[in-house]
Amino acid sequence: MNRAATGFFWHERCFWHDQGAIGVFSAPGEFLQPQPASESPESKRRLKNLLEASGLIDELAVGKPPPASREDLQRFHTPRYLDALELGDRTGGGDAGECAPYRPGSLAAASQAAGLAVAAIEAVATGALANAYALCRPPGHHAEADRGRGFCLLGNIPVAVMRARALGQVGRVAILDWDVHHGNGQQEAFWHTPEVLTISVHQAGNYPLETGAFEEQGGAGALGTDLNLPLPPGCGIGAYEYAMDTLVLPAIEAFAPELIVVACGYDACAKDPLGKMLLNSATFAAMTARVKALAERICQGRLVMVHEGGYSEGYVPLCGHAVIQTLAGSRITVPDPQNDEIAAWGYQALQPHQQALIDGWREHWQAAYWHSPPHHEGERR
């Protein structure tokens, strides 16, 4: 692989995961006319197709790695849960836990998705690639050790990060999740791990309902390594940029990771049916540019983006292309016909109540946790 290149990891198998016809609802019902599942393959397939059509994919180091092994999956998931998934996959499918329906063949797709994250993180952590994007499906940031949740069967990022740490490829890792829903899976996986910082910027009280409060800050021995920013519905470009610049990026820099991983969901876009935020494609590109610059400054550019949610089949590809173009430093652009219109909508500027909330979080975090992290002899920076 070319160390200066941006990797792009994908596999057709991921698009074959079938959840059944549940639409925007968590389960079918007597008066709910069947429709395609919200977490459909089309938003991801169209992103890959757009990369082909624009020519951007020709500038990327494309990889189609094998699925994650059972050994690697068990670094995060319990054997009992994996056994249940395997049984269900052979006998007609089911629900992996909560709002995570699947059918035969889904486990192969989910294992393949985890394998994409594994390969991307390994390539960047070991220096084979400068940075990388993994087009994972099904998503993974809601999956917990013993159950699936919220369309997620396997924890793509926890599996990959735990493997890389176990193999000595990386030590300190920062995981930033800007999916519109709380990254509960990563929070659970690293709740007691002081070497892994998890940050989730999400819509307050969306999904899951019982997790994602600012007060959730890490478990015993790891207090201050879990940062949640539950933004109020209706936040737009100004609120996200302010949160990134004043709290998220400084917190990551203070933590001094060796690798940054972004759980890159696009459901905070203005066109998403499952979120109530107002972002356009340029904002996702701008957030990517900020994180990329930080990675270049503090951890030799080691940055991996792992695809999560985003349910607008038409708009996700435009957001994803903007992110990957920025990640790769490419001049290949595609026009977003609604980018400027969305930016001109009312309430895109930072609102007083949003600023007050973010300022309060920053003041608390600064007083409690912003200090020089420990560095050990020989630790990579």
Side-chain angles (χ1 to χ4, degrees):
M1 289 185 177
N2 180 359
R3 171 64 181 86
T6 291
F8 178 69
F9 295 86
W10 79 284
H11 200 287
E12 176 67 25
R13 174 63 67 181
C14 293
F15 302 150
W16 292 15
H17 165 51
D18 182 7
Q19 301 176 91
I22 64 170
V24 300
F25 305 101
S26 60
E30 180 182 0
F31 297 105
L32 302 178
Q33 181 175 335
Q35 65 182 97
S38 298
E39 202 290 293
S40 78
E42 283 309 296
S43 61
K44 291 80 176 174
R45 192 190 303 274
R46 288 175 183 235
L47 170 53
K48 186 263 176 183
N49 291 345
L50 184 58
L51 295 171
E52 295 271 10
S54 73
L56 178 54
I57 200 168
D58 298 324
E59 297 184 359
L60 307 175
V62 178
K64 294 184 181 180
S69 68
R70 171 75 182 233
E71 178 185 4
D72 287 334
L73 295 179
Q74 285 185 183
R75 297 184 193 278
F76 175 45
H77 294 290
T78 65
R80 181 176 181 179
Y81 173 59
L82 295 175
D83 289 344
L85 273 184
E86 291 175 0
L87 177 62
D89 201 70
R90 294 194 303 267
T91 57
D95 194 314
E98 176 190 270
C99 303
Y102 68 101
R103 292 187 174 184
S106 290
L107 182 56
S111 298
Q112 183 64 66
L116 300 182
V118 163
I121 286 178
E122 178 175 69
V124 174
T126 60
L129 290 170
N131 52 48
Y133 191 100
L135 185 58
C136 298
R137 178 178 184 268
H141 76 142
H142 293 312
E144 298 175 350
D146 59 355
R147 63 170 174 168
R149 297 187 77 180
F151 307 151
C152 302
L153 302 181
L154 299 174
N156 301 325
I157 291 175
V159 166
V161 170
M162 287 181 175
R163 178 183 185 273
R165 282 174 40 77
L167 296 181
Q169 296 169 350
V170 69
R172 297 173 70 83
V173 179
I175 302 170
L176 167 59
D177 189 329
W178 62 47
D179 188 283
V180 84
H181 306 105
H182 177 231
N184 62 289
Q186 286 109 220
Q187 175 171 296
E188 178 202 60
F190 302 108
W191 186 250
H192 295 292
T193 307
E195 297 83 13
V196 179
L197 172 69
T198 59
I199 300 178
S200 180
V201 184
H202 52 272
Q203 180 184 322
N206 187 326
Y207 184 88
L209 293 177
E210 78 282 7
T211 68
F214 175 74
E215 291 74 20
E216 299 164 19
Q217 297 174 359
L223 193 62
T225 59
D226 184 55
L227 172 58
N228 287 301
L229 279 65
L231 297 174
C235 283
I237 298 169
Y240 272 80
E241 290 184 343
Y242 189 73
M244 290 285 289
D245 291 342
T246 64
L247 181 49
V248 172
L249 298 180
I252 294 175
E253 184 163 12
F255 184 74
E258 301 163 25
L259 170 73
I260 300 173
V261 181
V262 175
C264 188
Y266 299 106
D267 36 14
C269 80
K271 298 294 182 179
D272 197 89
L274 300 184
K276 296 295 181 286
M277 299 306 201
L278 302 175
L279 302 188
N280 58 3
S281 62
T283 306
F284 286 103
M287 292 194 297
T288 301
R290 284 167 160 83
V291 178
K292 181 183 178 184
L294 177 63
E296 290 171 349
R297 189 167 71 251
I298 69 172
C299 57
Q300 300 178 13
R302 297 187 187 98
L303 172 61
V304 176
M305 317 282 285
V306 177
H307 196 107
E308 288 291 346
Y311 309 101
S312 171
E313 294 180 5
Y315 204 61
V316 163
L318 296 173
C319 296
H321 193 283
V323 163
I324 296 170
Q325 174 198 343
T326 303
L327 189 64
S330 174
R331 295 183 179 181
I332 296 177
T333 63
V334 296
D336 174 357
Q338 292 196 301
N339 184 75
D340 294 344
E341 175 188 338
I342 293 172
W345 287 0
Y347 298 95
Q348 283 288 14
L350 178 68
Q351 303 298 301
H353 70 286
Q354 298 164 352
Q355 180 173 350
L357 188 63
I358 296 167
D359 284 347
W361 292 333
R362 185 187 71 248
E363 290 167 6
H364 174 93
W365 203 260
Q366 187 171 21
Y369 303 119
W370 281 357
H371 53 79
S372 298
H375 298 301
H376 305 288
E377 190 69 27
E379 183 180 65
R380 281 195 302 158
R381 290 297 306 277

